[in-house]
Amino acid sequence: SREGRKRRRFSEEDNNNNVDNNEDPLIQVLEKNGRIISSQLDTYNLNLKLDREERKDHATSLVAVLNKLADSLGRIADKL
């Protein structure tokens, strides 16, 4: 019965393939997670930039309104 069976011999190449096959899914998952995190950080940075620009625009508008108000109060005070 032993003669009918063939033994499979494991070479270093087979062992390396098994290790690579086991690591490939892990590496793929890690790379995918890295891309997702990178995308989220890019989106977060873009949102922060847009928020800063919006606050700057609001501050500029507020300063313009306060200047007009100060000018108007100055004219009223001059008339009194």
Side-chain angles (χ1 to χ4, degrees), residues 32-42:
K32 182 179 177 183
N33 286 344
R35 287 190 300 270
I36 290 170
I37 290 172
S38 178
S39 174
Q40 288 176 338
L41 286 175
D42 289 342

Side-chain angles (χ1 to χ4, degrees), residues 7 10 16-17 19 23 30 40 55-56 61-62 67-69 71 76:
R7 285 190 196 179
F10 293 102
N16 287 339
N17 286 338
V19 171
E23 288 181 0
L30 291 173
Q40 288 176 338
R55 287 177 188 234
K56 182 180 176 185
S61 298
L62 180 61
N67 282 336
K68 288 180 183 179
L69 181 61
D71 288 342
I76 292 171

Side-chain angles (χ1 to χ4, degrees), residues 2-37:
R2 283 190 163 191
E3 291 176 10
R5 282 192 199 169
K6 290 185 179 179
R7 285 190 196 179
R8 182 173 177 201
R9 294 186 181 184
F10 293 102
S11 67
E12 286 184 30
E13 193 172 294
D14 289 339
N15 288 337
N16 287 339
N17 286 338
N18 288 337
V19 171
D20 289 344
N21 288 337
N22 290 337
E23 288 181 0
D24 281 347
L26 179 60
I27 290 171
Q28 289 172 354
V29 167
L30 291 173
E31 287 175 347
K32 182 179 177 183
N33 286 344
R35 287 190 300 270
I36 290 170
I37 290 172

